[in-house]
């Protein structure tokens, strides 16, 4: 795992957010997502520089669209965000997860 992934994992593992279980490096279809919480259909991706190339942006968009068709929400954070604003990142994850728990059949994008 990258430094950003390790830092985020320390904050979301062991059911620290609303008692929800997150898994790391979870295979879904032909993708491996960084973190996944099946109870709220939430994927969290930690994006390094390769994600901001023309190819990377297009690949991520296609991947997110495919996963969205399965009813999954993908949250993307830059490695820099995670390393410098971890509390804000965790708060955003908390808020999205809480909304999904309160209205699990609501398929709006957050």
């Amino acid at each position: 795992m990258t430094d950003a992934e390790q830092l985020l994992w320390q904050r979301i593992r062991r059911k620290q957010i609303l008692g929800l279980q997150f898994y790391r490096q979870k295979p879904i279809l032909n993708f491996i997502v960084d973190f996944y919480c099946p109870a709220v259909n939430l994927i969290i991706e930690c994006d390094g520089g390769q994600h901001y190339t023309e190819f990377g942006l297009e690949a991520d968009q296609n991947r997110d669209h495919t996963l969205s068709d399965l009813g999954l929400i993908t949250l993307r954070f830059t490695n820099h965000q995670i390393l410098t604003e971890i509390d804000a990142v965790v708060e955003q994850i908390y808020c999205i997860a809480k909304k999904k728990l309160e209205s699990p059949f609501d398929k709006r994008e957050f």
Side-chain angles (χ1 to χ4, degrees):
M1 286 196 292
T2 66
D3 289 345
E5 289 171 336
Q6 288 177 17
L7 179 60
L8 184 55
W9 180 239
Q10 293 302 315
R11 298 292 296 271
I12 65 174
R13 69 185 203 158
R14 297 186 179 160
K15 301 182 181 183
Q16 295 179 72
I17 296 179
L18 299 167
L20 296 170
Q21 179 71 49
F22 283 85
Y23 299 92
R24 61 184 175 100
Q25 299 297 300
K26 179 73 173 166
I28 300 177
L29 296 177
N30 59 329
F31 307 112
I32 297 178
V33 301
D34 292 333
F35 303 105
Y36 174 60
C37 179
V40 291
N41 292 327
L42 180 62
I43 294 168
I44 303 169
E45 290 291 314
C46 307
D47 292 346
Q50 73 277 15
H51 290 269
Y52 300 100
T53 64
E54 184 177 339
F55 175 77
L57 290 168
E58 183 178 336
D60 286 346
Q61 184 178 27
N62 291 336
R63 172 182 169 131
D64 292 351
H65 180 73
T66 299
L67 294 169
S68 177
D69 286 346
L70 297 176
L72 303 172
I73 295 169
T74 301
L75 290 180
R76 292 187 170 278
F77 300 100
T78 67
N79 287 345
H80 181 75
Q81 278 179 295
I82 294 167
L83 293 171
T84 61
E85 306 170 30
I86 187 63
D87 290 337
V89 167
V90 171
E91 179 67 21
Q92 187 173 352
I93 295 166
Y94 172 89
C95 289
I96 298 300
K98 186 172 181 178
K99 285 179 185 177
K100 286 293 288 179
L101 284 173
E102 291 171 351
S103 54
F105 301 109
D106 186 355
K107 293 198 175 191
R108 290 177 301 158
E109 291 293 320
F110 292 97

